[in-house]
Coordinates of all heavy atoms in Angstrom, one line a residue:
A1 N 0.8 -1.2 0.0 CA 0.0 0.0 0.0 C 0.8 1.3 0.0 O 1.9 1.3 0.6 CB -0.9 0.0 1.2
V2 N 0.4 2.3 -0.7 CA 1.1 3.5 -0.8 C 0.3 4.6 0.0 O -0.9 4.7 -0.2 CB 1.2 4.0 -2.3 CG1 1.8 5.4 -2.4 CG2 2.0 3.0 -3.1
T3 N 0.9 5.2 0.9 CA 0.3 6.3 1.7 C 0.9 7.7 1.5 O 2.1 7.8 1.4 CB 0.5 5.9 3.2 OG1 0.0 4.6 3.5 CG2 -0.3 6.9 4.1
V4 N 0.0 8.6 1.2 CA 0.4 10.0 1.0 C 0.3 10.7 2.4 O -0.8 10.8 3.0 CB -0.4 10.7 0.0 CG1 0.0 12.1 -0.2 CG2 -0.4 9.9 -1.3
K5 N 1.4 11.2 2.9 CA 1.4 11.8 4.2 C 1.0 13.3 4.1 O 1.2 13.9 3.1 CB 2.9 11.8 4.8 CG 3.3 10.4 5.1 CD 4.7 10.4 5.7 CE 5.1 9.0 6.2 NZ 6.2 9.0 7.1
G6 N 0.3 13.8 5.1 CA -0.1 15.2 5.1 C -1.6 15.3 4.9 O -2.3 14.4 4.6
T7 N -1.9 16.6 5.0 CA -3.3 17.1 4.7 C -3.2 18.1 3.6 O -2.4 19.0 3.6 CB -3.9 17.7 6.0 OG1 -3.8 16.7 7.0 CG2 -5.3 18.2 5.9
F8 N -4.2 18.1 2.7 CA -4.2 19.0 1.6 C -5.5 19.8 1.5 O -6.6 19.2 1.7 CB -4.1 18.2 0.3 CG -2.9 17.3 0.2 CD1 -2.9 16.0 0.7 CD2 -1.6 17.8 -0.2 CE1 -1.8 15.2 0.7 CE2 -0.5 17.1 -0.2 CZ -0.6 15.7 0.3
R9 N -5.4 21.0 1.2 CA -6.6 21.9 1.2 C -7.3 21.8 -0.2 O -6.6 21.7 -1.2 CB -6.1 23.4 1.4 CG -7.2 24.4 1.4 CD -6.7 25.7 1.8 NE -5.7 26.3 0.8 CZ -6.0 27.2 -0.1 NH1 -7.2 27.7 -0.2 NH2 -5.1 27.6 -0.9
L10 N -8.6 21.8 -0.1 CA -9.4 21.7 -1.4 C -9.3 23.1 -2.0 O -9.4 24.2 -1.4 CB -10.8 21.4 -1.1 CG -11.1 19.9 -0.8 CD1 -12.6 19.8 -0.3 CD2 -10.8 19.1 -1.9
R11 N -9.2 23.2 -3.3 CA -9.2 24.4 -4.1 C -10.2 24.3 -5.2 O -10.6 23.2 -5.6 CB -7.8 24.7 -4.7 CG -6.7 24.7 -3.8 CD -5.4 24.8 -4.5 NE -4.2 24.7 -3.6 CZ -3.5 25.8 -3.3 NH1 -3.8 27.0 -3.8 NH2 -2.5 25.7 -2.5
R12 N -10.6 25.4 -5.8 CA -11.6 25.4 -6.9 C -10.7 25.6 -8.2 O -9.8 26.4 -8.3 CB -12.5 26.6 -6.8 CG -13.7 26.1 -5.9 CD -14.8 27.2 -6.1 NE -14.8 27.8 -4.7 CZ -15.7 28.7 -4.3 NH1 -16.5 29.2 -5.2 NH2 -15.7 29.2 -3.1
S13 N -11.2 24.9 -9.2 CA -10.6 25.0 -10.5 C -11.7 25.2 -11.5 O -12.7 24.4 -11.5 CB -9.7 23.7 -10.9 OG -9.2 23.8 -12.2
R14 N -11.5 26.2 -12.4 CA -12.5 26.4 -13.4 C -11.9 26.1 -14.8 O -10.8 26.6 -15.2 CB -12.9 27.9 -13.4 CG -14.1 28.2 -14.3 CD -14.6 29.6 -14.1 NE -15.5 30.0 -15.1 CZ -16.8 29.8 -15.0 NH1 -17.3 29.3 -13.9 NH2 -17.6 30.2 -16.0
R15 N -12.6 25.2 -15.5 CA -12.1 24.8 -16.9 C -13.3 24.5 -17.7 O -14.2 23.7 -17.3 CB -11.2 23.6 -16.8 CG -10.6 23.3 -18.1 CD -9.4 22.4 -17.9 NE -8.7 22.2 -19.1 CZ -8.9 21.2 -19.9 NH1 -9.8 20.4 -19.7 NH2 -8.1 21.1 -21.1
G16 N -13.3 25.1 -18.9 CA -14.5 24.7 -19.9 C -15.8 25.1 -19.4 O -16.8 24.5 -19.7
G17 N -15.9 26.1 -18.5 CA -17.2 26.6 -18.0 C -17.7 25.9 -16.8 O -18.7 26.2 -16.3
F18 N -16.9 24.9 -16.3 CA -17.3 24.1 -15.1 C -16.3 24.5 -14.0 O -15.1 24.6 -14.3 CB -17.3 22.7 -15.4 CG -18.4 22.3 -16.4 CD1 -18.0 22.0 -17.7 CD2 -19.7 22.2 -16.1 CE1 -18.9 21.7 -18.7 CE2 -20.6 21.9 -17.1 CZ -20.3 21.6 -18.3
T19 N -16.8 24.4 -12.8 CA -15.9 24.6 -11.6 C -15.9 23.3 -10.9 O -16.9 22.7 -10.6 CB -16.6 25.7 -10.7 OG1 -16.6 26.9 -11.4 CG2 -15.7 25.9 -9.5
S20 N -14.7 22.8 -10.5 CA -14.5 21.6 -9.8 C -13.7 21.8 -8.6 O -12.8 22.8 -8.6 CB -13.7 20.5 -10.7 OG -14.5 20.2 -11.8
W21 N -13.8 21.0 -7.6 CA -13.0 21.1 -6.4 C -11.8 20.1 -6.6 O -12.0 19.0 -7.1 CB -13.7 20.6 -5.1 CG -14.7 21.7 -4.7 CD1 -16.0 21.7 -5.0 CD2 -14.4 22.9 -3.9 NE1 -16.6 22.9 -4.5 CE2 -15.6 23.6 -3.8 CE3 -13.2 23.3 -3.3 CZ2 -15.7 24.8 -3.1 CZ3 -13.3 24.5 -2.6 CH2 -14.5 25.2 -2.5
I22 N -10.6 20.6 -6.3 CA -9.4 19.7 -6.6 C -8.4 19.8 -5.4 O -8.5 20.7 -4.5 CB -8.7 20.3 -7.8 CG1 -8.2 21.7 -7.6 CG2 -9.5 20.2 -9.1 CD1 -7.2 22.3 -8.6
V23 N -7.5 18.8 -5.4 CA -6.3 18.9 -4.6 C -5.2 18.9 -5.7 O -5.1 18.0 -6.5 CB -6.1 17.6 -3.8 CG1 -4.7 17.6 -3.2 CG2 -7.2 17.6 -2.7
G24 N -4.5 20.0 -5.8 CA -3.5 20.3 -6.8 C -3.5 21.7 -7.2 O -4.1 22.6 -6.4
R25 N -3.0 22.0 -8.3 CA -3.0 23.4 -8.8 C -3.8 23.5 -10.2 O -3.7 22.6 -11.0 CB -1.6 23.9 -9.1 CG -0.7 23.9 -7.9 CD 0.0 25.2 -7.8 NE 1.0 25.2 -6.8 CZ 0.9 25.2 -5.5 NH1 -0.3 25.0 -5.0 NH2 1.9 25.2 -4.6
S26 N -4.6 24.5 -10.3 CA -5.3 24.7 -11.5 C -4.3 25.0 -12.7 O -3.5 25.8 -12.5 CB -6.3 25.9 -11.4 OG -7.0 26.1 -12.5
A27 N -4.5 24.2 -13.7 CA -3.6 24.4 -14.9 C -4.5 24.1 -16.2 O -4.6 23.0 -16.7 CB -2.5 23.3 -14.8
P28 N -5.1 25.2 -16.7 CA -6.0 25.1 -17.8 C -5.3 24.4 -19.1 O -6.0 23.9 -19.9 CB -6.4 26.5 -18.1 CG -6.2 27.2 -16.8 CD -5.1 26.5 -16.1
A29 N -4.0 24.6 -19.2 CA -3.3 24.0 -20.4 C -3.2 22.5 -20.4 O -2.9 21.9 -21.4 CB -1.9 24.6 -20.5
T30 N -3.4 21.8 -19.2 CA -3.3 20.3 -19.1 C -4.7 19.7 -19.6 O -5.7 20.4 -19.6 CB -3.0 19.9 -17.7 OG1 -4.0 20.3 -16.9 CG2 -1.7 20.5 -17.3

């Protein structure tokens, strides 16, 4: 099993007219 240590804040990402909650960074080019 693989465990990711730590706690991550939810962020909003807007792409293609939709808003999603994410863990990561918004990157419209991906």
